[in-house]
Amino acid sequence: MTLELIIFIASILFGALLYWRESHGNKLYRFFNKLMYSKELQMKPTDKTGFLYQQKFIVRLVFIGFLFLIGIVVTRFLIPIDLATISIFASMIVGTLLGTYLANVIFKSSEVIEEKSHSLEDVVHDTIEKGKDFIEDLKAKEKEVEKIEEAKPDKPKAEEKSARERLKDKGLL
């Protein structure tokens, strides 16, 4: 169980490394694209698509599964010991997929932070200014209320009958 956990964590890091590597250059994918497709169907020079980068889940799963299948076959021929079990194979695939998606989230969030960092200062400054304006408006309203209260003279209430006396007048008591 410990070996599987170590391999799972290592495969998460491996997936993030693969994704990062493909985000900076996809020469191997372009090579296979040129081998497989005619000139009209080949990738555009500006296309950054790779085996893992900008691919759907199923395509990533197929490429990662194929990569680890080749790795296990080579390992079985080089090392006659049965290290490559199905549980390790599955944890490597799941960990690598998880690592690619984790790297995608990190890259996207860093791009958003870089885009918003320039405007973030302006947003904070605008918010502070709006808060100051709001406080000034509240103070102005308080002063208006105080002036209105001061302007009202206290009128003594005319002597009114109590509720008991009104009920007696009506004949209810």
Side-chain angles (χ1 to χ4, degrees):
M1 183 68 182
T2 305
L3 180 64
E4 290 176 4
L5 186 60
I6 292 170
I7 288 176
F8 180 72
I9 293 170
S11 63
I12 290 174
L13 296 174
F14 180 67
L17 178 71
L18 282 177
Y19 190 85
W20 175 78
R21 178 69 182 101
E22 273 202 352
S23 70
H24 290 323
N26 58 355
K27 293 178 184 174
L28 187 63
Y29 189 79
R30 285 188 184 281
F31 173 73
F32 281 112
N33 190 280
K34 284 183 182 179
L35 283 177
M36 302 292 176
Y37 297 109
S38 65
K39 188 72 173 172
E40 298 85 29
L41 296 176
Q42 288 179 4
M43 296 172 57
K44 306 276 188 274
T46 58
D47 193 5
K48 291 189 166 236
T49 304
F51 289 108
L52 305 173
Y53 186 71
Q54 295 181 344
Q55 290 287 0
K56 304 281 188 221
F57 172 76
I58 297 296
V59 178
R60 282 185 192 187
L61 181 65
V62 168
F63 285 136
I64 290 172
F66 189 67
L67 173 72
F68 282 115
L69 188 62
I70 290 173
I72 285 178
V73 168
V74 168
T75 304
R76 297 287 297 246
F77 281 119
L78 293 178
I79 302 172
I81 301 171
D82 189 23
L83 286 177
T85 62
I86 292 179
S87 64
I88 291 175
F89 179 67
S91 67
M92 286 188 302
I93 290 174
V94 170
T96 305
L97 273 173
L98 186 65
T100 60
Y101 281 105
L102 184 66
N104 184 20
V105 167
I106 291 170
F107 289 154
K108 293 289 182 185
S109 64
S110 65
E111 288 174 6
V112 168
I113 289 172
E114 286 177 10
E115 289 175 5
K116 300 289 184 181
S117 65
H118 300 296
S119 65
L120 185 62
E121 183 179 328
D122 295 333
V123 168
V124 170
H125 183 51
D126 290 343
T127 305
I128 291 172
E129 290 300 321
K130 287 179 183 177
K132 288 179 182 177
D133 293 341
F134 181 71
I135 290 172
E136 289 174 7
D137 289 343
L138 285 178
K139 287 180 181 178
K141 286 181 181 178
E142 284 179 8
K143 288 179 182 177
E144 288 176 10
V145 169
E146 288 174 4
K147 288 179 183 176
I148 291 172
E149 287 177 358
E150 289 175 4
K152 288 183 183 178
D154 290 334
K155 297 179 183 177
K157 291 186 177 181
E159 291 197 27
E160 296 179 7
K161 293 183 178 180
S162 68
R164 172 173 237 127
E165 291 173 353
R166 287 187 302 234
L167 287 173
K168 283 182 180 177
D169 291 341
K170 290 183 183 178
L172 298 174
L173 269 180

